[in-house]
Amino acid sequence: MQRKTIFPQKGLPYLLLAPQLAITAVFFFWPAGQAVWYAFLRQDAFGIRTQFVGFENFADLFADPYYLQAIWTTVFFSVSVTVLSMSVALLLAALADREIRAAGLYRTLLIWPYAIAPAIAAVLWLFLFHPSIGLLGRGLNAMGVAWDYRLNDGQAMLVVILASAWKQVSYNFIFFLAGLQAIPRAVLEAAAIDGARPIRRFWTVVFPLLSPTAFFLLVVNIVYAFFDTFGIIDALTKGGPGKATETLIYRAYLDGRVNLDLGMSAAQSVVLMIMVIGLTIVQFRFIERRVHY
Amino acid sequence: MQAAPPADRRRRRADLLTHIVLILGVLLFALPVWIVLMGSTHDGAAIGRGEVPLLPGAQGLDAYRRAWTEGAVGTTRVPVALMLWNSFVMAMLIALGKIAISLTSAYAVVFFRFPGRMLAFWAIFITLMLPVEVRIFPTFKVVSDLGMVNTYAGLIIPLIASATATLLFRQFFLTIPDEFVEAAKMDGAGPLRFFRDIVLPLSRTNMAALFVILFVYGWNQYLWPLLVTTSADVETIVIGIVKMIGTESNIDWSVVMATTVLALLPPIAVVVLMQRWFVQGLTDTEK
Amino acid sequence: MATLSLSGVRKQFGTTPVLHGIDLDVADGEMIVVVGASGCGKSTLLRIVAGLETASAGSVRIDGRDVTGLEPADRDIAMVFQNYALYPHMTVFENMAYGLKIRGMKLPDIRRRVDEAAQMLEIGPLLDRKPRQLSGGQRQRVAMGRAVVREPKLFLFDEPLSNLDAKLRVQMRAEIRRLQKRLGVTSLFVTHDQVEAMTLGDRLVVMHQGRAAQVASPMEVWGRPADTYVAGFIGSPAMNFLAATLLEGGGAAMLRAGPVIGFARAVSAAAAGTAVTLGIRPEHVEPAEGGLPLAIDLVEPLGSETVIHGTLPGGEVLTARLPIPASGIGATMPLRLPPEAFHVFEGASGRRLD
């Protein structure tokens, strides 16, 4: 963790660290601390008096059936996005890793979507699934399917899941491909000589060796589905219809921005923080244990 | 002519299947963009009536001209040129800012020994666990107390601290051989000179990779600019598009499509042109 | 146990030819070492036999069965890789059992076979470890074990010793030889190391630029190299080559500076006046009064013997390995080049003439 040879200056390192630490303190620790502090406060209706209410905000939060529904929505949404986008990415990566013609071209054509913003992905999907101007949306309606994701809960969920998973495929693809390329060719050849056919080779050798990558991606994808998909949901459904696509982050946004309920919004921030910290710890634990097979 | 051996035939069939699936995968990503690209050259009203065009239309670049200078009807009519400029400034400054402050902090942590070193390292490291979304309102309050709402500074500075970039540079600096430092000391080079003449040139690939990742990160920001920018002068293009489609009535769809294309181009160009460094760097950064 | 037969095996990568038609017949239980410098095509040849590459032309037969178009899985072969290629996520036992499990063998039978092989290779106590917990030598043994348990028709070795340190390499070399003799499995062993090749092989295939320059027993390759490439490749220090012109009768040749050198085996395949290359191994050069004077420019004492380098009056460079301490740099030493020690090669083609 430390180099042997270093420079002796004492003041310089502080100077070098100053910008990063200043920003971190002002825009990370101070607000995070405030979030924790506000989570235990409640303002009266006129915003004049503020009082300490202990865990009351949290108790209210978890007593709120809509919040519990948002948790369930988030879990369902995140698991669907993660599973869908990781499996498509793994399939494409496994194929693009084969020695075929134009493999490099395929890789480029599957990597560029990394650059698409979640909100832009939503706009692109709008042109596919919008009931009156979307290519597929109109097609569905023409076929007699009553398709309007702005009115139907299940359809709304389906569209945000598809758009969110779609946007994340290339990220997963890049990592799976790198993971596949890190597997020594000789190990696969040894398996071929041992008599394993391609499918069996994949499940008994490739997939186990890829599991650290897969686990890492699992965590990243869950975090992505929790937070980064805000733009997709905001652009496509605004959490609706009803509360059908209201995830935890969207709910926190609504409470803070629209309902101006600072205490409740802060309590939600704390809940989200605990979730992220939990995920990060799980991830680091795992990496520590599994970094060498 | 001898028949192909069975192994060859099987391989050829597998190759064909591989190509088919990969082409489908490529189309899955290309098709939505293609629709927007073609649609942007058509009459907006026709698109509104549901005629989804898959071939270039007669309007040419007219929608781009309107978007570029006039923006979309039913909105605040911010010209897309201004939005692009705002997004560009934001993405550039976030990327360069993150790289700059991460380089210096990693350099401090790796090449010096001083009281509080580990504390500083952990303070940076722990911000990994605090994505902007979870502390969004308190952060907004800080920015607003500092009077930075609707400014570039408010848009950019809170996003500039970077644990990821610092960790990457730290990891890389640890691999710089001790001999380099010793040789520099013997040549009489101080820490700043060593930083400029040795460390920076050696970090070029890492910086390039991070630039791509961070530029895309900055360009694609949504929730933060949504809160911090309410005035037209600092509206980014990603926010602008969502506002355009949010009005629901009287939407000029070809302008929306043209704007979408314009919003996609810069980050895609950066990723494709710098693909080699980017892929390497992305997988290094996050492991 | 089986025979292996290659006929007319060619390989091209794109437009670059790598193998120009290799013919080889390996007898049952024989150990063949394919040796050559890097890029000579030896590894490609091995991979074609394994089925990891497809030959552009020609056929591979194992035990008389044409396997040219078959997958590696269907060839009943086992291979030891250069960096061992152990499955990093499996224990030693699982590594060795993997191939048997795929072939549908019952677990008790697998256990018996693995235990047997583990005992033979002295890796019994390691069976529950993962590859990363093993030393290089132990990994090498496991890789061997994985091949042995399969009881295949053919063993293929792809430079399996090159990642070991010098001492371990010598030890494993002897062990591989013993094991191969004991199991009697037909084997193909690829290496770039001539000592490995000489000590391991029943026969050697010396490869040069995609061709088999010579296929023969180690002693024959050393004693009667087929061309100047083989002559220079096998033996250390390398054989001396002197350019000369063949004289009438084919029993002698004249060096550039005039001295005439006689050799025991007269050449009949070439006419007088042909440019020839005379080869003589450094260990065959003897110090002798009245011999050719060698101006010494480097002396390398090796303890039991001394290697001296110098130039002959005609400017030819010569190396000699002498069983005696030699005088120092700058001195001149008279040397005899015994006629019976000479190899005669055609100057233009490098082919052996005598």
Side-chain angles (χ1 to χ4, degrees):
Chain A
M1 292 290 269
Q2 167 74 64
R3 308 182 55 89
K4 280 209 302 282
T5 321
I6 50 163
F7 291 105
Q9 281 79 353
K10 289 296 170 206
L12 187 59
Y14 295 105
L15 213 61
L16 292 170
L17 274 166
Q20 175 104 305
L21 287 180
I23 293 173
T24 307
V26 175
F27 296 105
F28 280 73
F29 289 117
W30 176 242
Q34 279 202 314
V36 175
W37 175 236
Y38 286 143
F40 295 96
L41 299 181
R42 184 166 294 173
Q43 279 184 320
D44 64 15
F46 307 101
I48 300 166
R49 283 190 322 126
T50 306
Q51 67 177 110
F52 186 82
V53 292
F55 284 93
E56 226 170 89
N57 284 330
F58 293 97
D60 286 359
L61 203 56
F62 285 102
D64 178 357
Y66 288 128
Y67 192 71
L68 298 178
Q69 193 197 323
I71 293 180
W72 165 242
T73 304
T74 309
V75 169
F76 178 78
F77 172 75
S78 306
V79 169
S80 309
V81 168
T82 304
V83 169
L84 191 60
S85 119
M86 280 179 68
S87 23
V88 172
L90 180 56
L91 173 71
L92 293 175
L95 295 178
D97 187 44
R98 297 194 53 199
E99 282 176 36
I100 50 164
R101 220 176 288 174
L105 182 66
Y106 284 124
R107 285 171 204 165
T108 306
L109 289 177
L110 290 167
I111 283 171
W112 69 265
Y114 171 86
I116 300 177
I120 303 285
V123 176
L124 293 174
W125 278 69
L126 178 127
F127 288 114
L128 283 180
F129 279 114
H130 193 281
S132 56
I133 62 161
L135 184 66
L136 298 176
R138 277 177 65 85
L140 285 168
N141 279 313
M143 277 160 45
V145 181
W147 173 267
D148 192 344
Y149 65 85
R150 295 167 306 174
L151 302 174
N152 179 303
D153 291 7
Q155 291 175 0
M157 185 50 113
L158 183 67
V159 170
V160 289
I161 286 173
L162 288 178
S164 305
W166 180 83
K167 189 260 165 294
Q168 192 66 359
V169 167
S170 57
Y171 183 92
N172 294 334
F173 173 82
I174 292 167
F175 276 88
F176 274 134
L177 191 62
L180 286 167
Q181 286 173 343
I183 297 175
R185 272 185 53 140
V187 169
L188 300 178
E189 291 175 350
I193 287 179
D194 265 343
R197 308 271 172 210
I199 304 271
R200 179 158 195 161
R201 214 147 63 208
F202 183 83
W203 290 114
T204 57
V205 179
V206 176
F207 192 72
L209 293 180
L210 218 49
S211 64
T213 308
F215 183 82
F216 161 80
L217 285 177
L218 189 70
V219 175
V220 169
N221 278 270
I222 290 175
V223 172
Y224 161 79
F226 265 47
F227 303 115
D228 296 344
T229 53
F230 177 87
I232 294 178
I233 294 173
D234 194 44
L236 280 175
T237 64
K238 304 245 178 268
K243 291 180 180 300
T245 53
E246 192 174 296
T247 56
L248 288 171
I249 183 73
Y250 207 82
R251 159 85 194 238
Y253 167 76
L254 288 179
D255 276 352
R257 181 73 186 267
V258 183
N259 307 332
L260 298 171
D261 188 339
L262 219 54
M264 285 298 260
S265 159
Q268 292 180 44
S269 285
V270 171
V271 172
L272 288 173
M273 256 186 249
I274 291 169
M275 285 177 174
V276 183
I277 290 170
L279 278 172
T280 315
I281 289 173
V282 169
Q283 185 178 1
F284 276 92
R285 265 288 163 74
F286 187 83
I287 284 177
E288 241 164 54
R289 207 150 35 88
R290 286 291 300 267
V291 75
H292 319 280
Y293 305 105
Chain B
M1 166 109 187
Q2 193 185 349
D8 260 17
R9 239 179 303 145
R10 209 173 312 141
R11 213 164 290 167
R12 231 168 284 160
R13 211 174 322 140
D15 282 358
L16 184 67
L17 199 64
T18 303
H19 283 291
I20 291 173
V21 176
L22 283 175
I23 288 171
L24 285 177
V26 168
L27 285 181
L28 178 67
F29 290 102
L31 187 66
V33 177
W34 179 256
I35 289 176
V36 172
L37 195 60
M38 290 303 111
S40 64
T41 62
H42 282 261
D43 176 25
I47 300 168
R49 285 194 303 275
E51 293 160 18
V52 185
L54 289 174
L55 291 172
Q59 302 293 311
L61 299 178
D62 187 55
Y64 290 88
R65 187 189 53 75
R66 273 179 292 141
W68 187 265
T69 53
E70 298 163 21
V73 290
T75 64
T76 43
R77 305 211 73 137
V78 185
V80 172
L82 177 61
M83 295 183 190
L84 272 174
W85 172 247
N86 289 334
S87 280
F88 181 76
V89 169
M90 177 177 178
M92 260 332 226
L93 291 184
I94 285 182
L96 298 179
K98 273 177 183 268
I99 289 173
I101 69 172
S102 300
L103 266 173
T104 58
S105 21
Y107 189 65
V109 171
V110 172
F111 284 93
F112 297 87
R113 208 167 295 170
F114 53 93
R117 185 176 140 264
M118 283 320 278
L119 184 71
F121 176 70
W122 282 104
I124 296 168
F125 181 77
I126 213 155
T127 58
L128 266 187
M129 304 188 192
L130 297 170
V132 64
E133 286 84 0
V134 308
R135 53 190 167 79
I136 192 90
F137 290 105
T139 313
F140 175 71
K141 192 166 177 301
V142 171
V143 169
S144 123
D145 290 348
L146 293 172
M148 300 201 303
V149 172
N150 281 326
T151 63
Y152 281 143
L155 194 56
I156 292 161
I157 295 173
L159 298 180
I160 260 182
S162 177
T164 334
T166 311
L167 288 178
L168 175 75
F169 283 128
R170 172 184 164 274
Q171 213 174 334
F172 172 67
F173 290 170
L174 285 172
T175 67
I176 293 180
D178 277 330
E179 287 80 355
F180 283 23
V181 188
E182 283 155 4
K185 282 182 170 176
M186 271 180 252
D187 288 341
L192 289 178
R193 202 180 175 102
F194 181 73
F195 182 70
R196 199 189 68 197
D197 293 345
I198 310 289
V199 172
L200 279 187
L202 286 176
S203 313
R204 265 201 308 246
T205 354
N206 282 314
M207 292 197 298
L210 271 174
F211 176 79
V212 181
I213 297 165
L214 299 174
F215 183 89
V216 170
Y217 165 88
W219 188 274
N220 291 354
Q221 281 301 313
Y222 184 76
L223 180 52
W224 181 244
L226 186 63
L227 285 182
V228 172
T229 63
T230 49
S231 97
D233 337 327
V234 282
E235 186 164 300
T236 65
I237 192 161
V238 176
I239 300 286
I241 292 179
V242 177
K243 280 190 180 161
M244 285 181 194
I245 62 167
T247 54
E248 269 303 328
S249 57
N250 205 12
I251 301 175
D252 187 345
W253 288 109
S254 56
V255 168
V256 175
M257 286 173 156
T259 310
T260 308
V261 172
L262 292 174
L264 280 169
L265 277 179
I268 290 178
V270 168
V271 165
V272 171
L273 293 179
M274 298 175 77
Q275 187 188 339
R276 199 158 53 85
W277 300 289
F278 154 66
V279 171
Q280 171 76 47
L282 182 65
T283 43
D284 282 354
T285 321
E286 315 252 357
K287 281 241 158 115
Chain C
M1 271 157 281
T3 59
L4 167 70
S5 139
L6 308 180
S7 63
V9 170
R10 290 168 186 280
K11 178 70 184 176
Q12 266 175 268
F13 289 114
T15 54
T16 321
V18 182
L19 293 175
H20 304 267
I22 303 287
D23 299 295
L24 179 66
D25 279 294
V26 184
D28 186 13
E30 198 179 14
M31 173 79 133
I32 295 281
V33 177
V34 183
V35 62
S38 61
C40 70
K42 58 187 191 298
S43 282
T44 308
L45 183 67
L46 188 79
R47 293 169 61 81
I48 286 174
V49 173
L52 297 170
E53 307 272 4
T54 39
S56 308
S59 72
V60 179
R61 285 168 179 278
I62 296 176
D63 230 4
R65 185 170 70 119
D66 189 345
V67 298
T68 319
L70 297 185
E71 297 281 348
D74 303 319
R75 296 186 178 206
D76 199 7
I77 48 171
M79 182 156 163
V80 180
F81 289 82
Q82 180 168 12
N83 39 22
Y84 322 132
L86 301 177
Y87 309 120
H89 58 301
M90 298 185 195
T91 62
V92 169
F93 176 83
E94 289 164 340
N95 261 283
M96 291 167 71
Y98 185 69
L100 302 177
K101 218 159 73 185
I102 288 174
R103 283 176 168 70
M105 194 183 269
K106 298 262 184 321
L107 191 64
D109 297 335
I110 294 181
R111 187 150 276 291
R112 191 175 40 74
R113 271 224 216 163
V114 171
D115 283 342
E116 230 172 67
Q119 204 180 358
M120 189 159 41
L121 287 155
E122 296 161 17
I123 49 174
L126 307 178
L127 285 178
D128 292 326
R129 301 225 192 134
K130 293 271 179 77
R132 74 183 147 89
Q133 298 166 304
L134 305 178
S135 69
Q138 290 169 329
R139 284 178 205 186
Q140 169 66 56
R141 281 163 193 274
V142 176
M144 292 283 301
R146 187 168 67 178
V148 167
V149 289
R150 293 261 317 278
E151 298 182 5
K153 288 200 168 132
L154 203 61
F155 276 154
L156 304 175
F157 297 88
D158 187 8
E159 308 216 23
L161 302 177
S162 57
N163 283 358
L164 299 176
D165 64 53
K167 202 173 151 196
L168 207 50
R169 188 152 56 214
V170 173
Q171 188 191 333
M172 280 309 294
R173 192 169 77 201
E175 225 166 300
I176 289 181
R177 184 59 170 156
R178 247 178 258 129
L179 195 71
Q180 193 269 339
K181 279 282 156 242
R182 180 168 150 202
L183 299 171
V185 179
T186 316
S187 304
L188 210 55
F189 189 109
V190 162
T191 180
H192 65 270
D193 182 322
Q194 48 149 324
V195 180
E196 234 167 81
M198 294 291 283
T199 49
L200 275 172
D202 292 319
R203 280 191 298 155
L204 309 188
V205 177
V206 185
M207 299 265 302
H208 180 46
Q209 294 177 345
R211 291 190 170 81
Q214 188 167 14
V215 182
S217 71
M219 281 319 287
E220 197 183 338
V221 169
W222 185 81
R224 286 185 58 81
D227 59 24
T228 45
Y229 177 78
V230 178
F233 187 76
I234 301 283
S236 175
M239 186 185 277
N240 295 298
F241 293 116
L242 309 170
T245 311
L246 198 62
L247 297 180
E248 206 65 53
M254 188 168 73
L255 296 186
R256 265 181 311 198
V260 170
I261 295 209
F263 30 86
R265 297 180 295 263
V267 171
S268 51
T274 310
V276 293
T277 303
L278 303 180
I280 183 163
R281 295 200 181 276
E283 54 268 43
H284 292 153
V285 178
E286 301 165 354
E289 287 303 320
L292 283 170
L294 182 77
I296 300 173
D297 55 24
L298 179 65
V299 177
E300 299 173 311
L302 300 177
S304 61
E305 49 198 21
T306 309
V307 176
I308 60 174
H309 305 266
T311 39
L312 293 175
E316 295 95 342
V317 181
L318 191 83
T319 300
R321 202 160 96 187
L322 309 173
I324 49 156
S327 40
I329 293 167
T332 302
M333 179 184 261
L335 294 173
R336 190 176 95 90
L337 309 177
E340 66 278 9
F342 271 104
H343 307 258
V344 186
F345 305 98
E346 191 177 41
S349 68
R351 267 198 339 259
R352 187 175 191 90
L353 286 173
D354 59 326

